[in-house]
Amino acid sequence: PIKTDADALKSYSGWVYACVSTISQDVRTSKWRIWLKAGANREDWKPLDDSQVPEILMRPSETTTWGDLIELTQVHLDLAGRAFWHLVTNGSGGEVVGIQSINPDWVSRPVYDNNRIRIVAWELTGGGASRRQIPAEDVVMFRYPDPTDATGGISPIRAVAMSADMDTYSRAYAASHLRNHAQPTGILTTEAELTRDQATVLAEGWKDAHQGTSNIQVLGKGAHFQTLSSSIKDLQFLNLARVSRDQILAAYHVPATKLG
């Protein structure tokens, strides 16, 4: 049911939304530090204080903060399995003046060199723009590795795609069932012979006079009203919804208690 990155991004609802939004907001509010690589060993790196952090990391673009960028990156990872940053430079090989998050659904394929060894560019085909390529050195890719695709990604929701599909349809069925019981709410019978038009008028008149009210209901001779109710067995689909919920939460390693 989830075949493309677009399908994965559209799954951002229900329990998937609850898990992904919780994770991404936790990542956003984590304590972040920037280090200056001063040697080959991590122990030699020097942490930068706030006054030394480059402005581009504080405000990646005019409309995006560092928190916005990190949160959206995590959302893309947890839905599509891949996330991309476009490093905007002031010229080929120049200084980075901005960082943009690229919708993973827009990235159609990597472009290799003539020997098909090194990625030299990424091709973009979405966002309403014409097909174009971004040099590989201007793109940063994050991903959850896909063992069958060197540049692909497998997100938790892709791993339990059938459970997500089951959750969507079970909730849709539940809403429809509880809205109209998937059947009439009652049957009004009479001993008189009725035409189709007469039956319609009688049903509408009954509904207008009695439905949703606490009035005393009076029936004529030979008329009977029978209430139809759902059987407990008809509501067993709720167990199916719980199974799909638990599988989605397990895939994202989010305990139900954290979601309240």
Side-chain angles (χ1 to χ4, degrees), residues 14 47 59 67 70 74 86 95 115 119 147 160 163 165 176 184 192 200 204 233 244:
R59 175 71 69 171
I70 287 297
Q74 189 64 47
H86 176 208
E95 179 184 2
N115 297 322
I119 297 176
V160 291
S163 296
D165 211 32
S176 176
T200 300
E204 293 296 330
K233 291 184 178 180
S244 60

Side-chain angles (χ1 to χ4, degrees), residues 19 59 75 98 117 124 132 145-146 161 191 204 206 247 259:
C19 293
R59 175 71 69 171
V75 168
I117 296 176
L124 271 61
R132 66 190 185 101
D146 180 351
E191 296 177 357
E204 293 296 330
W206 171 269
Q247 291 173 341
L259 301 179

Side-chain angles (χ1 to χ4, degrees), residues 213-259:
T213 70
S214 58
N215 297 334
I216 297 175
Q217 301 176 355
V218 180
L219 300 177
K221 180 179 179 181
H224 304 277
F225 182 80
Q226 177 184 356
T227 300
L228 298 181
S229 59
S230 297
S231 167
I232 293 298
K233 291 184 178 180
D234 294 334
L235 301 179
Q236 288 183 350
F237 63 85
L238 294 175
N239 293 329
L240 187 65
R242 294 188 187 98
V243 170
S244 60
R245 177 201 65 186
D246 291 345
Q247 291 173 341
I248 292 171
L249 266 59
Y252 281 104
H253 301 264
V254 175
T257 53
K258 187 172 180 62
L259 301 179

Side-chain angles (χ1 to χ4, degrees), residues 99-110:
I99 303 175
Q100 296 176 329
S101 175
I102 304 177
N103 190 319
D105 183 39
W106 296 358
V107 182
S108 59
R109 67 183 183 91

Side-chain angles (χ1 to χ4, degrees), residues 143-155:
R143 69 190 184 101
Y144 296 145
D146 180 351
T148 65
D149 186 351
T151 59
I154 294 291
S155 66

